[in-house]
Amino acid sequence: WFTAAGVRVGRENALGQWGFNRVLPHYDRQRLHKTRFYLQVTAAAGFVVPREPRLPRVRPSEAARLQWRDRFGLTEAGAQLLTIAPGSSAGETHKRWPAAHYGRLVRLALERNAAWRCALFGGVEETALLEGVKSAAGAEVARRIHLVTERELDSALAVLSE
């Protein structure tokens, strides 16, 4: 009511909820991805939202795909890639599972299957975390663990897109 906006949409329990004239249930309660929730907000504000929005598709070149398959050692018969992103946004680092726990998980998975490889994904600022997970996994499996930061994420998507 402090603004001239006719429609003020937001989620329940949000700061300033009292200023909304349309309140939507929290995305966690609805078990929605945030993207879907914000599409709901957009629709509640009166904008036309497609029923099923088109999702982006990653279409890497065959050369990029082969390069990353080779880098991860996925050219061997039966090779599989375990992908883990152990980080979290800067404001939610308290939710992170300890690097030692991730390291143990990776070690157990790779010890059970010799053809498996692991890719640890994270932002450049999470490099120390990724290295900590790799170190905690142990020297026996370290050669089968690859760190992928956001600088090379577009290229690494080549493997994940298969």
Side-chain angles (χ1 to χ4, degrees):
W1 36 262
F2 284 122
T3 71
V7 179
R8 297 176 307 280
V9 181
R11 66 173 169 80
E12 65 185 1
N13 300 325
L15 182 64
Q17 174 180 329
W18 51 269
F20 301 141
N21 56 17
R22 291 192 188 157
V23 178
L24 300 174
H26 194 281
Y27 48 82
D28 284 342
R29 250 185 24 157
Q30 297 183 70
R31 298 187 182 281
L32 286 178
H33 187 279
K34 285 183 182 178
T35 303
R36 296 254 183 234
F37 172 76
Y38 287 116
L39 286 171
Q40 274 187 354
V41 170
T42 304
F47 293 93
V48 176
V49 175
R51 208 177 278 226
E52 282 300 318
R54 291 185 352 170
L55 300 175
R57 294 263 187 227
V58 177
R59 299 194 196 290
S61 69
E62 187 61 25
R65 189 177 309 223
L66 292 173
Q67 172 193 354
W68 282 89
R69 287 187 64 74
D70 185 53
R71 176 178 171 186
F72 288 139
L74 298 175
T75 53
E76 300 173 20
Q80 299 268 339
L81 184 64
L82 169 67
T83 58
I84 297 178
S88 58
S89 65
E92 297 183 333
T93 56
H94 62 282
K95 293 183 177 181
R96 285 185 184 165
W97 209 28
H101 290 24
Y102 276 111
R104 183 166 186 252
L105 174 68
V106 170
R107 183 179 65 250
L108 289 172
L110 297 184
E111 284 176 347
R112 288 183 184 202
N113 191 326
W116 282 23
R117 305 295 182 259
C118 178
L120 299 173
F121 287 85
V124 174
E125 70 282 356
E126 295 170 329
T127 302
L129 172 65
L130 302 180
E131 289 171 347
V133 172
K134 183 174 182 175
S135 175
E140 308 81 36
V141 296
R143 65 179 178 74
R144 295 166 41 208
I145 301 171
H146 306 276
L147 310 185
V148 182
T149 62
E150 61 193 68
R151 285 189 195 137
E152 30 184 34
L153 187 57
D154 58 338
S155 302
L157 288 174
V159 172
L160 298 178
S161 68
E162 294 185 354

